[in-house]
Amino acid sequence: MGGHDEFLRVLADSFECQVVSRGDGVMVSGGEKEAQAAALALRELQGLYRQGTPVTMHEVRYAVRLAKAGEGKALHALFSGTVLVSAKGRQIRPKTVGQQRYIEAIRRHAVTFGVGPAGTGKTYLAVVMAVAALRAKHVSRIILTRPAVEAGERLGFLPGDMQEKVDPYLRPLYDALQDIFGVDTYQRLLAKGIIEIAPLAYMRGRTLDSAFVILDEAQNTTGRQMKMFLTRLGIASRMVVTGDLSQIDLPRGTVSGLTEAVAALEGVDGLAVVRFDESDIIRHEVVSRIVAAYERYVTAGRKAPERPGT
């Protein structure tokens, strides 16, 4: 495993036991309970490495967390479940229990909402599941859309034709598809119309049959836009709606369509709402601490100091 010595130090420090590399093996010694938990985490990490999945500090710390909580079965299920293999042969799998719950919800429901902070894999895993459905011939096309509202910008103020205007908003979706399919296959499917990427306004008036449809950045929809989108669902289709309610860029006083939808629709048969939190963030470990700090700040009711003259 890359960073072998550092990983062993983390295991030893986390479980208050000795973890020593001996040739091709690793010896764990200490109190029975701590040593068994450390050995469990180590065994699952080694299995992950042997199947060709890169092991990072995220996997190490997450394995430690589940092993210390006595969640051996959850840890094994998480590390042994491959959802898809990318064009470059990389095995794609859930990296947290929250991500695993999200994938299962998408498999079982016609409409799934993935709500939570940035870095939790909401969009990427939705695209992975769309590709898996397409490969299995459960759907005949993939449709991805986002509202073209972000950080106070509007399409009319951006240079270029319509495609050039929307490209910056849709770039995360392009990137995910190219990572999974490879650039050549992605371009071919796009040219054939099997993959469609368009702003949300283009969904109006359509019925989307035999499609896996993803609405990304849904916190920036209005209530009318969200209802319009959800009622496009056709026969033999799946929808996934992703968003982060802490990053709403709508004009002041406008209620997010995602906020309304989650409140109104949770519990509806055939629909699931999966909530992510900072424990599901898979970027640099400091990101989860940043998110948690902001949540504490907002919960305490504090306001950022205003700039002079405002």
Side-chain angles (χ1 to χ4, degrees):
M1 293 184 291
H4 181 272
D5 292 338
E6 184 182 4
F7 293 167
L8 294 185
R9 280 196 298 272
V10 169
L11 286 170
D13 292 344
S14 300
F15 292 102
E16 298 180 358
C17 61
Q18 289 187 325
V19 182
V20 181
S21 179
R22 294 283 177 85
D24 293 333
V26 178
M27 185 173 71
V28 179
S29 60
E32 182 179 359
K33 184 176 180 180
E34 290 287 292
Q36 285 181 348
L40 169 65
L42 181 61
R43 185 166 58 250
E44 295 300 334
L45 288 165
Q46 287 175 327
L48 197 62
Y49 177 72
R50 291 191 189 105
Q51 74 179 27
T53 302
V55 176
T56 69
M57 190 56 74
H58 165 79
E59 280 78 22
V60 175
R61 294 193 184 282
Y62 206 79
V64 166
R65 181 185 304 172
L66 291 183
K68 287 179 76 72
E71 298 287 344
K73 289 184 179 179
L75 177 58
H76 180 72
L78 183 65
F79 280 5
S80 61
T82 297
V83 179
L84 196 72
V85 178
S86 74
K88 294 183 178 179
R90 180 170 61 88
Q91 296 190 35
I92 302 172
R93 57 170 185 78
K95 293 188 175 184
T96 70
V97 171
Q99 288 190 352
Q100 189 175 45
R101 189 169 64 248
Y102 181 52
I103 286 170
E104 288 303 315
I106 293 172
R107 285 172 174 156
R108 294 196 308 265
H109 297 87
V111 180
T112 302
F113 287 82
V115 183
T120 51
K122 304 181 300 295
T123 300
Y124 188 81
L125 287 176
V127 174
V128 167
M129 295 300 289
V131 174
L134 183 68
R135 287 181 177 175
K137 302 187 186 306
H138 295 156
V139 298
S140 60
R141 54 185 172 150
I142 297 172
I143 301 173
L144 306 103
T145 185
R146 297 177 86 183
V149 177
E150 207 162 291
E153 295 181 344
R154 298 295 181 271
L155 289 179
F157 295 101
L158 296 176
D161 60 22
M162 179 55 72
Q163 191 60 47
E164 290 171 329
K165 287 172 185 284
V166 301
D167 272 357
Y169 296 99
L170 303 174
R171 176 53 56 188
L173 302 176
Y174 298 153
D175 291 345
L177 284 165
Q178 290 178 11
D179 179 61
I180 298 165
F181 276 123
V183 176
D184 291 343
T185 301
Y186 161 74
Q187 293 288 358
R188 186 171 67 253
L189 294 175
L190 191 65
K192 290 181 176 180
I194 295 173
I195 294 174
E196 178 185 346
I197 306 177
L200 180 59
Y202 285 29
M203 299 299 110
R204 189 174 300 279
R206 302 175 62 183
T207 299
L208 306 175
D209 291 328
S210 189
F212 197 112
V213 193
I214 300 172
L215 171 59
D216 192 32
E217 299 291 347
Q219 75 275 3
N220 288 328
T221 62
T222 65
R224 290 179 65 183
Q225 287 174 323
M226 177 63 77
K227 184 178 179 182
M228 177 275 291
F229 172 77
L230 292 173
T231 54
R232 301 307 94 198
L233 183 67
I235 302 299
S237 289
R238 283 278 189 277
M239 278 185 171
V240 179
V241 178
T242 72
D244 179 358
L245 291 173
S246 72
Q247 295 190 25
I248 298 172
D249 297 315
L250 294 168
R252 186 181 297 275
T254 303
V255 177
S256 166
L258 180 59
T259 301
E260 282 188 345
V262 169
L265 302 177
E266 190 163 15
V268 169
D269 190 35
L271 183 148
V273 177
V274 178
R275 293 179 173 82
F276 296 89
D277 59 31
E278 65 271 13
S279 68
D280 295 301
I281 293 173
I282 54 173
R283 293 176 181 170
H284 192 289
E285 62 189 76
V286 76
V287 174
S288 61
R289 295 198 288 270
I290 290 171
V291 170
Y294 267 106
E295 288 182 351
R296 290 193 299 270
Y297 186 84
V298 172
T299 301
R302 297 172 183 169
K303 294 183 178 179
E306 293 185 354
R307 292 173 293 176
T310 60

